[in-house]
């Protein structure tokens, strides 16, 4: 067998071997992927800071007899005043509820001063930490407690709020996946204009997502990584969004090589050599940025780092192995009807990015200054961001649990309808109870369960839930009660706010340092990395500013999630630099080939602009899927990242980075070799005539 025949046999065999290996990998991952839902939880402790008082309270409550309690409030209300029949109806419904599920104590009604409302605090230990049982308990109570003849019945309290939030997080599974797939499919059809080609990267992205679920389960089993609905939703979005981005870059380069190289296998090898380093570097940058979240104290943020990284890297492996194998096996016909024939040249046409590059090249200083002023003006919208998000403002559509709490706030202005939970060493329970009752802002307190050396005390504050008065009461209790822990829903919100502020101070510098170091190593320059990092910081500020202009006035949101700043920063810096690498890598490639700085910058934009634009649209669209979810914090996060990606794609990468590169010239590569002008070739000295 000749060398050429052996090479031909190898070219035909390698794609099939890769495909067979992937079938084996998926078979191994399948049992683990199917178990991810079993370890996914959206408990309070999964979203709280690891070291906070409120987290310790929640953990100790799980150990007390009956496990973690489910606290509910049944609210009976009639405008104009409750009737005797209404009170009888309420008593009958409470009795029926007691026969369905065991209650910790017999509920006693608390009438409002105006006689329009009757409040029944209900506590059950039956669900413990089982979220499905808690949901069943709340749903069963809602089935019994029905409106009748002008009497409204609402179910509020921490248990009802947690149940409604849990239902939203459950929707991050199937609905989020289906919506993401549909959005990516539509965009790929529009981008490729082919009835077949769009399906290949979409299937490969799905394979990457499936692999990531199996790995995520393994991380949980091996390291106890927190698995929440939020983190798995982000993992899916990154697997499809980032994976499709890598596919767009690879397919674009592969199409170029098919015009120059006869065999698809050889064309794919050339494409991988050409764009592989940029894809590896960009995915490595995203992964490094996300892993910096491990330094966060907030459990949900810390768990999101590894899972987001798993989503990106799973998509990367799939796109650099399985996608090339499938494209080679399908041959040129996968591009039908726009098949790139060997030896052909693409139809010459003036693209949008050629025009944009020309304008940036003609007036780079004007373009750069104008863009910087625009981003700065948009960033001023941050001043209009609403304050911290309260617990009952976290839902986009107001559920029954939220309307119940607002009814209580209006009917009982003199007391809080949401308890403050204190756990104290059992030996000091009586002294702690006396201290609590003597604390400013406390309306009442009573002992609860005891076990494992701890006693639970339920405290009622004078101030309304999450008001300034209640916050002062919680802070006073924490200052006074040494050796005890103060928790509950309002205390959790305080801890979330404080921990997010701490995490920003710790994580942001780590993200900037790690991303900058990777860029310096990759681009072998100091100026280009600083330029890219400055650009993505500007994008982050502008995207948050746009959020400030629309969250309150347009969306009607009453607050901003405390974690929005940190999470949006990590994602926009990591993903924004991702696109910068695509552009600067091609610019460096052109410069290394001998192109002058201006020509290199404009050529890089012309050749990669379309791919970056397509990738940006796909990524923005996948994050925009979050705006269709039912929680305000998810809508805010999805909106800011989607807007930031679009700004980065169509303003910063195309205009500002290109114009800055044109202005800097060779200095953009300082102090690397490309920053120095090539030495002029001296003419050979002619021998002197004799």
């Amino acid at each position: 067998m000749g060398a050429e025949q052996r090479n031909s046999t190898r070219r035909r065999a390698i794609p099939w071997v890769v495909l067979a290996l992937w079938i084996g990998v998926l078979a191994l991952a399948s049992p683990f992927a199917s178990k991810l839902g079993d370890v996914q939880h959206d408990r309070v402790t999964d979203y709280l800071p690891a070291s906070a008082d409120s987290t310790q309270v929640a953990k100790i409550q799980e150990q007390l007899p009956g496990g973690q309690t489910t606290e509910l409030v049944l609210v009976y209300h009639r405008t104009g005043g409750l009737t005797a029949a209404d009170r009888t109806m309420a008593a009958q419904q409470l009795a029926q509820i007691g026969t369905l599920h065991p209650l910790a104590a017999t509920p006693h009604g608390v009438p409002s001063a105006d006689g329009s409302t009757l409040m029944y605090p209900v506590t059950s230990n039956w669900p413990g930490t089982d979220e499905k049982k808690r949901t069943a308990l709340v749903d069963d109570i809602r089935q019994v407690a029905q409106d009748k003849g002008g009497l409204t019945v609402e179910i509020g309290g921490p248990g009802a709020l947690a149940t409604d939030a849990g239902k939203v997080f459950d929707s991050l599974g199937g609905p989020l996946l289906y919506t993401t797939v549909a959005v990516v499919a539509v965009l790929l059809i529009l981008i490729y204009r082919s009835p077949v080609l769009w399906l290949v990267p979409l299937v490969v992205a799905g394979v990457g997502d499936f692999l990531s679920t199996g790995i995520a389960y393994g991380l949980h089993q091996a390291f106890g990584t927190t698995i929440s609905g939020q983190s798995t939703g982000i993992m899916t979005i990154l697997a499809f969004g980032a994976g499709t981005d890598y596919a767009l870059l690879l397919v674009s380069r592969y199409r170029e090589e098919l015009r120059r190289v006869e065999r698809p296998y050889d064309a794919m090898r050339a494409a991988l050599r050409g764009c592989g380093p940029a894809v590896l570097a960009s995915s490595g940058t995203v992964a490094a940025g996300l892993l910096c979240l491990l330094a966060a104290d907030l459990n949900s943020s810390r768990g999101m780092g590894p899972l987001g990284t798993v989503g990106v890297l799973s998509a990367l492996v799939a796109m650099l192995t399985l996608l090339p194998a499938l494209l080679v096996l399908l041959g040129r016909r996968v591009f039908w009807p726009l098949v790139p024939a060997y030896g052909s040249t693409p139809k010459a046409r003036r693209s949008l990015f050629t025009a944009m590059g020309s304008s940036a090249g003609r007036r780079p200083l004007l373009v750069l200054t104008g863009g910087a002023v625009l981003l700065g003006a948009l960033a001023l919208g941050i001043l209009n961001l609403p304050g911290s998000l309260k617990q009952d403002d976290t839902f986009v559509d107001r559920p029954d649990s939220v309307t119940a709490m607002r009814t209580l706030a209006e009917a009982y202005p003199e007391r809080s309808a949401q308890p403050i939970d204190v756990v104290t060493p059992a030996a000091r329970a009586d002294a702690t109870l006396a201290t609590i009752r003597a604390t400013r802002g406390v309306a009442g307190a009573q002992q609860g369960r005891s076990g494992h050396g701890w006693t639970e005390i339920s405290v009622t504050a004078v101030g309304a839930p999450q008001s300034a008065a209640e916050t002062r009461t919680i802070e006073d209790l924490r200052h006074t009660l040494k050796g005890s822990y103060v928790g509950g829903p309002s205390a959790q919100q305080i801890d979330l706010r404080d921990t997010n502020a701490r995490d920003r101070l710790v994580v942001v510098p780590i993200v900037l340092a790690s991303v900058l170091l990777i860029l310096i190593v990759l681009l072998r320059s100091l100026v280009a990395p600083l330029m890219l990092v400055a650009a993505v910081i500007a994008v982050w500020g502008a995207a948050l500013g746009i959020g400030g202009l629309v969250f309150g006035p347009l969306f009607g949101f009453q607050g901003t999630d405390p974690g929005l700043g940190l999470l949006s920063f990590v994602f926009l810096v990591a993903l924004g630099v991702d696109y910068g690498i695509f552009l600067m890598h091609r610019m460096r490639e052109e410069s290394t080939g001998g192109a002058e700085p201006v020509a290199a910058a404009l050529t890089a934009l012309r050749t990669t602009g379309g791919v970056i634009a397509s990738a940006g649209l796909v990524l923005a669209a996948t994050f925009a899927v979050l705006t269709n979810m039912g929680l305000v914090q998810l809508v805010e996060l999805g909106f800011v990242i989607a807007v930031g990606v679009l700004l980065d794609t169509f303003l910063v990468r195309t205009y500002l980075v290109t114009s800055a590169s044109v202005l800097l010239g060779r200095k953009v590569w300082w102090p690397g070799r490309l920053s120095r002008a090539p030495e002029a070739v001296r003419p050979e000295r002619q021998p002197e005539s004799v």
Side-chain angles (χ1 to χ4, degrees), residues 386-434:
S388 294
L389 192 67
K390 294 183 179 180
Q391 189 181 37
D392 57 355
D393 291 326
T394 57
F395 297 92
V396 176
D397 297 319
R398 188 179 299 174
D400 183 58
S401 57
V402 171
T403 58
M405 301 307 289
R406 295 190 176 180
T407 300
L408 289 172
E410 295 174 1
Y412 301 86
E414 76 285 353
R415 60 175 289 167
S416 174
Q418 188 165 269
I420 300 169
D421 297 326
V422 175
V423 290
T424 188
R428 301 206 308 264
D430 292 337
T432 300
L433 184 61

Side-chain angles (χ1 to χ4, degrees), residues 125-189:
N125 299 332
W126 171 68
T129 58
D130 192 316
E131 296 166 60
K132 293 181 179 179
K133 287 185 177 180
R134 183 194 64 198
T135 300
L137 169 69
V138 175
D139 289 344
D140 288 348
I141 291 177
R142 283 173 171 166
Q143 286 293 323
V144 173
Q146 296 286 333
D147 298 351
K148 187 172 183 180
L151 174 68
T152 60
V153 187
E154 298 165 338
I155 314 298
L161 288 167
T163 297
D164 290 335
K167 290 180 178 179
V168 175
F169 283 119
D170 289 342
S171 72
L172 293 179
L176 177 67
L177 175 61
Y178 306 145
T179 307
T180 302
V181 169
V183 168
V184 173
V186 170
L187 289 174
L188 286 176
I189 291 171

Side-chain angles (χ1 to χ4, degrees), residues 627-660:
T627 62
N628 196 39
M629 299 296 107
L631 290 179
V632 169
Q633 55 262 45
L634 296 179
V635 175
E636 291 178 341
L637 181 64
F639 178 87
V640 169
I641 295 178
V643 169
V645 168
L646 292 176
L647 281 175
D648 191 74
T649 302
F650 293 101
L651 174 62
V652 174
R653 296 296 144 227
T654 49
Y655 277 120
L656 303 192
V657 171
T658 301
S659 59

Side-chain angles (χ1 to χ4, degrees), residues 562-628:
L564 176 64
L566 175 63
L567 293 180
S568 61
F569 179 85
V570 171
F571 282 108
L572 285 178
V573 168
L575 296 171
V577 167
D578 192 26
Y579 293 145
I581 289 174
F582 292 166
L583 181 66
M584 298 302 292
H585 183 270
R586 188 60 180 258
M587 193 183 302
R588 183 177 180 83
E589 191 177 332
E590 296 294 330
S591 299
T592 304
E596 289 299 313
V598 175
L602 299 183
T603 301
L605 177 61
R606 185 180 66 250
T607 54
T608 65
V611 178
I612 291 177
S614 301
L617 283 173
V618 170
L619 193 63
T622 53
F623 272 100
V625 171
L626 287 175
T627 62
N628 196 39

Side-chain angles (χ1 to χ4, degrees), residues 497-514:
R497 181 196 64 199
D498 294 344
T499 303
N500 274 296
R502 173 264 176 199
D503 285 350
R504 283 196 298 271
L505 294 176
V506 173
V507 176
V508 166
I510 297 175
V511 171
L512 290 176
S514 61

